[in-house]
Amino acid sequence: MPRAIWKGAISFGLVHIPVALNSATRSQGVDFDWLDKRSMEPVGYKRVNKVTGKEVGKENIVKGVAYEKGRYVVLSEEEIRAAHPESTKTIDIFAFVDSEQIPLQHIDTPYYLAPDRRGEKVYALLREALSSTDKVALAHVVLHTRQHLAALMPVESALVLVMLRWPSEVRGLDSLELGSAVTQPKLAKSELDMAKRLIKDMSDDWRPEDYQDSFQERILDLVARKAKAGKIENVERAEGEEQRRSADVVDLTELLKRSLGGKPKPSASKGSSTRKPAKTARK
């Protein structure tokens, strides 16, 4: 089982079900880095003042929200943190609805829920109750300082928490400005029968093992063939980059040892005993 990204409980009425949240998806694709074709040096991003064109240091950047055209309200980090919703570590169910009532365009990101701390029986009880009533649970949950609207639903032997977009984030179909030729079409019976027959002829079962990202496969195959032919460019690293990456590896190893209860060995480099572990980026 993958490492849980959040632990809490499903809560409704007097029911309390300890659960662990796991990602149900993973991002895939080819990662293209920018390179300067003249020198094969990596190209990065800079914070630039859009008026002067000059680079701005992190210490001189503040966060602002546009209040009127050309006028901003500046908020401090303390004010932003104070506005974050309180993390209650609970998935608070407030209603049960028919699953087909949730519009497709409101569905966002799915997560798997696993029972935690001997909550297997009550977890299974909720799953079976939802399955037998054809209902899903609407809930509020706070993840990473952000409040989400979510739907808790049964999928086979598990419970899945699907993050929903807030209604204010979803555009209505009227934004498409569909004309009467679409909304009130004049279709001949023969045309409709032909379309139905085509759909019937092409009907198949859902077979996910047959669905592949052909673009990614072709790019990776092309990379492998060019590498085998010796068509590889040496990329000059920015000064200090290699040293920084090496330090991250050492620090991560120390953190893993601490997590397992082991004591990290002192580094041979001077002053390493007082160095604080570097923060590693979350994936």
Side-chain angles (χ1 to χ4, degrees):
M1 180 184 296
R3 183 181 177 183
I5 59 177
W6 179 91
K7 287 191 176 184
I10 300 170
S11 177
F12 63 104
L14 298 177
V15 178
H16 190 81
I17 309 172
V19 290
L21 191 75
N22 296 274
S23 179
T25 61
R26 58 184 176 188
S27 297
Q28 290 189 163
V30 180
D31 186 15
F32 291 101
D33 291 330
W34 286 7
L35 303 173
D36 188 330
K37 70 176 183 180
R38 300 165 299 180
S39 59
M40 284 298 125
E41 295 171 340
V43 177
Y45 297 92
K46 289 185 178 181
R47 299 178 178 90
V48 177
N49 184 311
K50 293 183 179 180
V51 176
T52 65
K54 296 181 179 180
E55 187 175 356
V56 181
K58 185 177 180 180
E59 68 279 3
N60 291 320
I61 294 179
V62 295
K63 294 180 179 179
V65 177
Y67 181 70
E68 295 173 345
K69 186 176 181 180
R71 302 180 68 196
Y72 284 77
V73 174
V74 175
L75 301 177
S76 68
E77 292 295 337
E78 292 76 15
E79 290 172 320
I80 295 173
R81 280 195 295 270
H84 285 156
E86 181 183 356
S87 180
T88 60
K89 287 292 182 181
T90 55
I91 300 169
D92 294 310
I93 296 174
F94 62 85
F96 294 91
V97 301
D98 295 332
S99 58
E100 60 268 20
Q101 287 186 325
I102 300 177
L104 181 63
Q105 59 268 37
H106 283 251
I107 295 175
D108 196 346
T109 309
Y111 292 91
Y112 291 137
L113 284 175
D116 191 36
R117 300 195 305 275
R118 294 178 293 182
E120 290 87 352
K121 185 174 182 179
V122 67
Y123 174 96
L125 177 63
L126 177 59
R127 183 200 63 216
E128 291 303 308
L130 291 172
S131 296
S132 61
T133 57
D134 292 324
K135 297 285 187 180
V136 299
L138 293 181
H140 291 131
V141 61
V142 176
L143 289 178
H144 308 307
T145 70
R146 182 183 175 189
Q147 186 181 47
H148 297 267
L149 178 66
L152 182 67
M153 57 184 65
V155 175
E156 297 181 10
S157 59
L159 287 172
V160 175
L161 187 72
V162 179
M163 299 304 173
L164 302 176
R165 296 181 178 92
W166 294 102
S168 59
E169 296 175 328
V170 180
R171 294 192 180 100
L173 292 178
D174 55 352
S175 63
L176 295 177
E177 298 181 355
L178 301 175
S180 59
V182 174
T183 58
Q184 298 174 341
K186 296 179 180 179
L187 301 174
K189 183 179 182 300
S190 58
E191 293 173 328
L192 189 57
D193 289 342
M194 187 181 303
K196 289 180 178 179
R197 188 164 60 250
L198 178 60
I199 291 174
K200 183 178 179 181
D201 291 342
M202 295 182 66
S203 294
D204 204 345
D205 294 324
W206 168 257
R207 295 197 303 268
E209 65 277 5
D210 293 343
Y211 314 139
Q212 305 293 333
D213 184 348
S214 59
F215 172 76
Q216 177 178 261
E217 290 180 349
R218 290 172 184 170
I219 290 295
L220 293 179
D221 181 62
L222 177 61
V223 170
R225 284 190 280 112
K226 295 190 74 170
K228 188 176 181 179
K231 298 180 179 180
I232 302 177
E233 303 289 347
N234 293 320
V235 176
E236 297 292 332
R237 299 192 182 279
E239 185 178 350
E241 181 181 357
E242 192 63 41
Q243 179 181 357
R244 185 166 60 252
R245 289 190 177 186
S246 298
D248 287 345
V249 172
V250 173
D251 291 332
L252 179 58
T253 303
E254 291 179 354
L255 289 174
L256 288 171
K257 287 181 178 179
R258 292 177 190 174
S259 300
L260 295 172
K263 295 182 179 179
K265 295 181 180 180
S267 173
S269 60
K270 184 178 179 181
S272 62
S273 60
T274 58
R275 186 194 308 163
K276 295 183 179 179
K279 293 183 178 178
T280 56
R282 292 183 177 179
K283 291 186 179 180

